[in-house]
C-alpha cells in the first residue's frame, strides 16, 4: 500500500498570522502576464481535448 | 519540450495504462491505491497524455483546507490583522485542493511535463473551478530536487514543523493567479 498523504497541519500563533498577512499581501500582487498566459494556453488546449473538462 | 494534450479522469473500474515513474510509492498508488481511493470518493486521479496520446504523467487531487487557530494569535497581532480584514473575511479555515500525487513517467522526467501539469492545475482551480479554492497544496517529498521544483513554481512551505519529515506540505496562493 502506498504511503498515506500527510494531513495538512493546523497553523498556530506566528505561522497562522504570517499566512493571513501573506494572503492579504498577495491580493495586491499577481503572477506575471507571461506565466498567466502560459497556464491559460495549456488549460484551453486541454479543455478542447479532454471530455472530463467539458 | 513535449506538450501535454489531454487529461483523462479515472473512474474506479477504468484500466490504468502502463506508466512507470521509477518510484515505488507513486507506481503503487497509480496502479492500486488510486482505485480504492476513487471508490471511496477520497481523491480523483487523472491520466495526462501528450498530444499524440502517449501517457506521460498522472496526478490525484482532493479537497482540503488550511486551518488557522486564530485564538492563539497574540492580542496585538490579532488587532493588526483585524484592521486588515473586515470581520467576515477573517476565515479560520481557507479552502484548498491538495495534489496527493503527481508522477511523471520516467521517459519524460526533466522534459517540462510536471511544469505544464502544475501550470494547468493553477488555471483549472482558479478560473475553471466550481467552488472557492484559495490554495493549491502538495505533500512534497522532502528532497532538494522536488522542493526546488515546487519553489520554482511559486510554492512555499506551509510550516517549519515538518522540516525533518519525509514529506513537506507546500502551498501556492491562487490569489496570485486571479484574473
Amino acid at each position: 500500500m502506498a504511503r498515506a498523504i500527510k494531513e495538512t497541519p493546523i497553523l498556530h500563533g506566528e505561522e497562522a498570522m504570517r499566512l493571513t498577512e501573506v494572503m492579504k499581501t498577495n491580493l495586491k500582487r499577481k503572477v506575471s502576464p507571461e506565466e498567466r498566459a502560459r497556464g491559460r494556453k495549456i488549460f484551453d488546449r486541454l479543455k478542447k481535448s479532454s471530455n472530463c473538462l467539458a | 519540450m513535449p506538450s501535454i494534450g489531454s487529461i483523462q479522469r479515472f473512474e474506479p473500474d477504468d484500466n490504468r495504462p502502463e506508466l512507470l515513474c521509477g518510484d515505488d510509492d507513486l507506481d503503487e498508488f497509480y496502479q492500486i491505491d488510486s482505485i480504492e481511493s476513487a471508490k471511496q470518493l477520497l481523491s480523483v486521479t487523472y491520466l495526462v497524455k501528450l498530444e499524440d496520446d502517449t501517457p506521460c504523467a498522472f496526478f490525484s487531487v482532493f479537497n482540503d483546507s488550511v486551518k488557522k487557530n486564530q485564538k492563539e494569535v497574540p492580542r496585538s497581532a490579532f488587532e493588526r490583522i483585524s484592521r486588515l480584514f473586515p470581520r467576515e473575511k477573517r476565515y479560520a479555515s481557507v479552502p484548498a485542493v491538495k495534489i496527493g500525487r503527481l508522477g511523471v513517467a520516467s521517459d519524460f522526467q526533466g522534459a517540462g511535463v510536471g511544469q505544464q501539469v502544475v501550470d494547468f492545475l493553477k488555471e483549472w482551480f482558479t478560473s475553471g473551478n466550481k467552488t472557492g479554492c484559495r490554495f493549491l497544496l502538495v505533500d512534497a517529498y522532502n528532497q532538494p530536487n522536488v522542493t526546488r521544483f515546487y519553489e520554482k513554481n511559486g510554492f512555499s512551505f506551509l510550516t517549519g514543523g515538518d522540516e525533518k519529515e519525509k514529506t513537506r506540505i507546500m502551498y501556492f496562493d491562487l490569489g496570485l493567479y486571479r484574473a
Side-chain angles (χ1 to χ4, degrees):
Chain A
M1 193 173 166
R3 71 176 169 86
I5 296 295
K6 192 159 70 184
E7 293 271 334
T8 302
I10 298 172
L11 299 182
H12 299 271
E14 288 293 321
E15 286 185 334
M17 194 178 70
R18 191 163 53 242
L19 188 72
T20 304
E21 287 182 342
V22 165
M23 288 174 69
K24 172 76 180 172
T25 306
N26 283 349
L27 286 181
K28 293 176 185 159
R29 299 170 56 216
K30 282 184 185 183
V31 295
S32 69
E34 293 78 21
E35 184 178 340
R36 191 69 210 269
R38 204 176 64 209
R40 187 82 222 172
K41 192 175 161 189
I42 296 170
F43 179 74
D44 288 344
R45 186 169 69 235
L46 266 56
K47 201 172 174 185
K48 280 182 199 155
S49 56
S50 308
N51 291 336
C52 61
L53 298 176
Chain B
M1 180 180 16
S3 294
I4 61 172
S6 64
I7 62 168
Q8 175 194 335
R9 177 185 162 132
F10 279 136
E11 299 304 330
D13 297 333
D14 287 345
N15 174 48
R16 269 75 170 152
E18 185 172 289
L19 189 141
L20 293 169
C21 303
D23 177 281
D24 289 346
D25 181 72
L26 287 172
D27 293 340
E28 191 171 341
F29 179 85
Y30 173 75
Q31 282 296 344
I32 301 166
D33 298 67
S34 65
I35 298 169
E36 189 56 35
S37 191
K39 278 183 188 166
Q40 293 187 35
L41 304 178
L42 295 176
S43 69
V44 179
T45 300
Y46 294 84
L47 178 68
V48 182
K49 297 177 188 171
L50 298 179
E51 289 180 302
D52 67 0
D53 257 8
T54 306
C56 63
F58 80 95
F59 63 88
S60 70
V61 285
F62 58 93
N63 294 320
D64 199 355
S65 66
V66 176
K67 294 184 179 69
K68 296 177 283 175
N69 187 347
Q70 314 214 70
K71 286 179 186 163
E72 290 183 0
V73 174
R75 183 160 184 83
S76 58
F78 185 80
E79 284 170 359
R80 194 165 79 240
I81 296 294
S82 300
R83 282 196 296 274
L84 293 173
F85 288 91
R87 179 181 296 275
E88 65 274 16
K89 289 187 180 169
R90 277 181 264 131
Y91 302 110
S93 177
V94 184
V97 68
K98 190 183 272 177
I99 308 168
R101 296 287 194 297
L102 195 176
V104 176
S106 302
D107 292 347
F108 300 103
Q109 287 172 9
V113 167
Q115 165 86 61
Q116 292 175 69
V117 172
V118 171
D119 284 342
F120 162 73
L121 289 170
K122 288 175 180 175
E123 183 68 33
W124 191 22
F125 285 107
T126 307
S127 62
N129 200 15
K130 293 184 176 71
T131 61
C133 177
R134 181 65 190 254
F135 295 117
L136 203 51
L137 300 170
V138 64
D139 186 22
Y141 284 134
N142 193 4
Q143 296 166 357
N145 60 326
V146 178
T147 54
R148 261 202 307 270
F149 167 78
Y150 285 108
E151 282 181 310
K152 199 183 98 187
N153 279 287
F155 285 73
S156 304
F157 295 110
L158 186 67
T159 172
D162 57 4
E163 204 173 355
K164 294 197 168 113
E165 294 179 14
K166 279 188 177 176
T167 61
R168 297 196 70 182
I169 304 289
M170 300 181 77
Y171 74 94
F172 178 83
D173 184 0
L174 292 169
L176 292 167
Y177 219 74
R178 71 202 185 283

